[in-house]
């Protein structure tokens, strides 16, 4: 049976099987260390039962203020060998539960490449909706837009956080 636990510092040397994938955003060491120290309950890893290899991980945080107080998914990724087993859903549900029950957040949001139709479809199955498009969010040789997807939590009784905006925004217009 798969087990989840808090991400540990030595996991940074063990998660290449998950991170070295074109669909996964990778970050520098200080980024991971910041999440580990500030939001350890939102940085979890799933381990395989037979060999303790890392099957996937969730990297999240809490941010915002007022009705924009929310949980944010910075990364959720599953190693190719372990995809389509419901692991991403389990990791997402864990972050959503912590965001609701520990942080009393209004919603959870995430950014996904507009071209990543598989991920968008998966998030929609999890109850997320496209709140807005962020023009040129992903920089590089081929700049790409992001979709800001959201899912309301119980504190947002009227689901105001999920009402889509009428027009796209620029990265500098993001609140957080």
């Amino acid at each position: 049976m798969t087990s989840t636990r808090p991400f540990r510092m030595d996991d940074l040397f063990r998660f290449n099987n998950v991170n070295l994938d074109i669909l996964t955003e990778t970050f520098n060491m200080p980024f991971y260390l910041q999440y580990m120290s500030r939001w350890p309950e939102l940085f979890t890893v799933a381990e395989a039962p037979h060999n303790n290899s890392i099957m996937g991980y969730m990297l999240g945080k809490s941010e915002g203020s007022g009705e924009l107080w929310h949980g944010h998914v910075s990364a959720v990724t599953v190693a190719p060998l372990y995809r389509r087993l419901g692991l991403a859903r389990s990791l997402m549900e864990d972050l959503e539960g912590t965001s609701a029950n520990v942080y009393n957040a209004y919603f959870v949001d995430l950014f996904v490449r507009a071209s990543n139709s598989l991920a968008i479809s998966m998030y929609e199955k999890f109850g997320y909706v496209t709140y807005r498009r962020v023009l040129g969010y992903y920089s590089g040789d081929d700049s790409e837009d992001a979709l800001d997807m959201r899912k309301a939590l119980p504190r947002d009784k009227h689901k105001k956080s999920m009402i889509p905006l009428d027009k796209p925004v620029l990265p500098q217009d993001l609140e957080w």
Side-chain angles (χ1 to χ4, degrees):
M1 182 169 146
T2 302
S3 61
T4 58
R5 61 165 174 77
F7 200 93
R8 296 186 310 242
M9 191 156 321
D10 66 330
D11 291 329
L12 292 168
F13 303 108
R14 300 178 52 231
F15 72 166
N16 280 346
N17 66 313
V18 180
N19 248 20
L20 297 178
D21 174 47
I22 60 168
L23 298 177
T24 299
E25 292 293 322
T26 56
F27 306 99
N28 59 34
M29 284 286 191
F31 187 88
Y32 293 108
L33 296 173
Q34 176 187 20
Y35 275 72
M36 214 179 317
S37 65
R38 291 195 59 194
W39 304 282
E41 62 284 339
L42 295 174
F43 195 179
T44 56
V45 64
E47 284 185 321
H50 58 286
N51 63 6
N52 292 339
S53 67
I54 295 179
M55 300 168 69
Y57 68 87
M58 166 64 70
L59 178 65
K61 64 181 176 177
S62 59
E63 63 186 358
S65 63
E67 290 187 350
L68 293 178
W69 177 246
H70 66 283
H72 175 73
V73 177
S74 297
V76 59
T77 189
V78 175
L81 180 63
Y82 300 107
R83 291 187 182 149
R84 303 206 179 274
L85 300 175
L87 190 54
R89 179 184 295 274
S90 295
L91 291 167
M92 292 291 289
E93 287 173 351
D94 183 58
L95 182 131
E96 292 163 7
T98 302
S99 295
N101 300 319
V102 174
Y103 290 103
N104 197 26
Y106 285 90
F107 61 93
V108 170
D109 80 340
L110 57 90
F111 294 93
V112 61
R113 290 181 181 274
S115 65
N116 192 344
S117 58
L118 285 175
I120 294 165
S121 175
M122 178 185 74
Y123 295 131
E124 288 172 343
K125 288 177 187 166
F126 297 169
Y128 286 77
V129 299
T130 299
Y131 174 71
R132 61 187 165 184
R133 179 179 285 263
V134 184
L135 301 173
Y137 180 80
Y138 293 101
S139 59
D141 292 337
D142 294 324
S143 174
E144 186 173 351
D145 296 350
L147 300 183
D148 177 356
M149 299 186 77
R150 293 185 176 187
K151 181 178 183 177
L153 296 175
R155 187 173 184 192
D156 183 3
K157 295 183 188 334
H158 302 291
K159 300 189 184 307
K160 293 192 307 187
S161 62
M162 293 176 64
I163 300 170
L165 295 185
D166 294 335
K167 59 184 179 188
V169 298
L170 297 171
Q172 60 265 29
D173 298 329
L174 296 172
E175 299 86 0
W176 311 107

